[in-house]
Amino acid sequence: DQLVVGLEVEKISRAQIFFRQHIRRADATVEGHWQELVSGTVHIVCVNSMQMKATSIPAILRTKLEALQ
């Protein structure tokens, strides 16, 4: 089987990033020719390790992540 593993940036807020991950299989019988086998969402929070509180995502990282949206 031909599989595709994907990762998409769903949302970026001041201190959080939401990713969507999926695995799809080529299937000519399905609309779009891909059958989704499994998917999941990953929620990441940027934290100040000294205070254990949410902090802003560094600008350089935010810029790179926004380019993936």
Side-chain angles (χ1 to χ4, degrees):
D1 290 343
Q2 180 183 1
L3 299 178
V4 171
V5 178
L7 171 74
E8 301 155 6
V9 177
E10 280 194 327
K11 179 181 171 184
I12 302 173
S13 68
R14 182 187 68 81
Q16 302 176 65
I17 310 162
F18 295 84
F19 293 103
R20 181 175 184 280
Q21 299 175 313
H22 62 265
I23 299 175
R24 297 178 180 147
R25 175 176 49 211
D27 186 342
T29 66
V30 190
E31 183 180 337
H33 303 288
W34 293 99
Q35 175 188 18
E36 188 156 284
L37 301 175
V38 66
S39 67
T41 302
V42 178
H43 175 203
I44 297 174
V45 178
C46 190
V47 176
N48 177 314
S49 63
M50 299 295 283
Q51 299 175 347
M52 293 308 291
K53 291 186 177 183
T55 188
S56 296
I57 298 168
I60 191 164
L61 180 57
R62 174 181 288 282
T63 300
K64 291 183 184 293
L65 290 167
E66 286 173 343
L68 298 174
Q69 281 188 302

